[in-house]
Amino acid sequence: MNQNIRKLMTLMPPHDGAGDVINWRQTREVWGCDFPSDFRVFMSVYGSGAIEDGLAISRQNEGAPGDGPHDVWFVPSPDWLEDVSAPYPAWLAAGSLICWGEDSNQNVLCWSTRGSDPDKWPVAVWDSGGLDGQAFIEFDCGMAELLLRIFSEEQPYPFNEGFLGGVTRPRFMHRREEARLRGLGINPWPDA
């Protein structure tokens, strides 16, 4: 298991019933690529859900890339890329984006699909606030390492407003558990 996922599991233990079973072979056939190994393990351990009700980790899109923008892995449309002056090409070109998360500030977390090894894809974040005049911030790390950085006391949340800053013991809740609690009339995030 990826060492960053092990660290995440210590920092943010998964709850009972978390995790998703994903047919990665079928995913590769639909998408035409593999996904980073830390993401595949994250999905099996945690699955689709939210961290502190502020950072949504997306679930698998049952259709083809680009079929939907929310709660699914998706690729940004060429129009959106142009609107935000993205330095990334449209899907399927090398270096195009696959989005895997969104935070409550509407920052979008993606991979830049440069190179044939998904484990070397950098994370690219579209900063909706345009931090320091940059719409995109690129991190030379994978998803799990970025999550560890977000919750590190030494490295504050790197995007606008820092709403997750100071959270050093994050909680993850699978979307099924959140829906179950809401169905019972329980606020799943009473102190978030």
Side-chain angles (χ1 to χ4, degrees):
M1 181 180 293
N2 178 291
Q3 73 176 7
N4 289 324
I5 293 291
R6 277 195 214 99
K7 289 177 185 177
L8 270 177
M9 290 174 68
T10 299
L11 178 68
M12 183 177 66
H15 61 76
D16 290 342
D20 291 328
V21 176
I22 295 170
N23 182 334
W24 291 108
R25 184 176 174 187
Q26 181 182 10
T27 299
R28 186 183 200 315
E29 289 173 11
V30 169
W31 282 78
C33 65
D34 287 317
F35 281 72
S37 60
D38 63 340
F39 181 71
R40 293 191 314 259
V41 175
F42 184 95
M43 294 307 287
S44 70
V45 171
Y46 294 99
S48 171
I51 299 172
E52 291 299 318
D53 195 29
L55 182 58
I57 308 297
S58 302
R59 66 179 168 81
Q60 180 181 12
N61 184 350
E62 298 300 326
D67 278 356
H70 300 289
D71 280 338
V72 295
W73 310 336
F74 70 99
V75 296
S77 72
D79 290 341
W80 182 82
L81 291 169
E82 186 177 328
D83 287 347
V84 299
S85 301
Y88 301 96
W91 180 258
L92 258 167
S96 60
L97 301 176
I98 297 176
C99 303
W100 54 265
E102 182 177 5
D103 70 21
S104 58
N105 283 339
Q106 299 178 338
N107 299 315
V108 180
L109 294 84
C110 312
W111 295 286
S112 173
T113 60
R114 285 196 302 265
S116 60
D117 183 355
D119 287 335
K120 293 183 179 174
W121 290 347
V123 172
V125 178
W126 179 68
D127 177 15
S128 63
L131 184 66
D132 296 327
Q134 299 178 34
F136 284 87
I137 304 166
E138 197 164 293
F139 298 88
D140 190 23
C141 66
M143 171 213 190
E145 184 176 335
L146 180 64
L147 292 175
L148 288 169
R149 288 181 188 184
I150 288 172
F151 297 111
S152 166
E153 291 179 329
E154 292 83 38
Q155 298 182 20
Y157 192 62
F159 321 120
N160 66 8
E161 298 180 33
F163 71 99
L164 288 174
V167 175
T168 57
R169 297 295 298 170
R171 298 165 296 162
F172 174 86
M173 189 176 305
H174 195 281
R175 63 185 164 81
R176 289 184 303 260
E177 178 64 5
E178 185 171 348
R180 183 187 75 78
L181 291 172
R182 289 191 191 284
L184 295 171
I186 300 169
N187 179 357
W189 302 101
D191 56 349

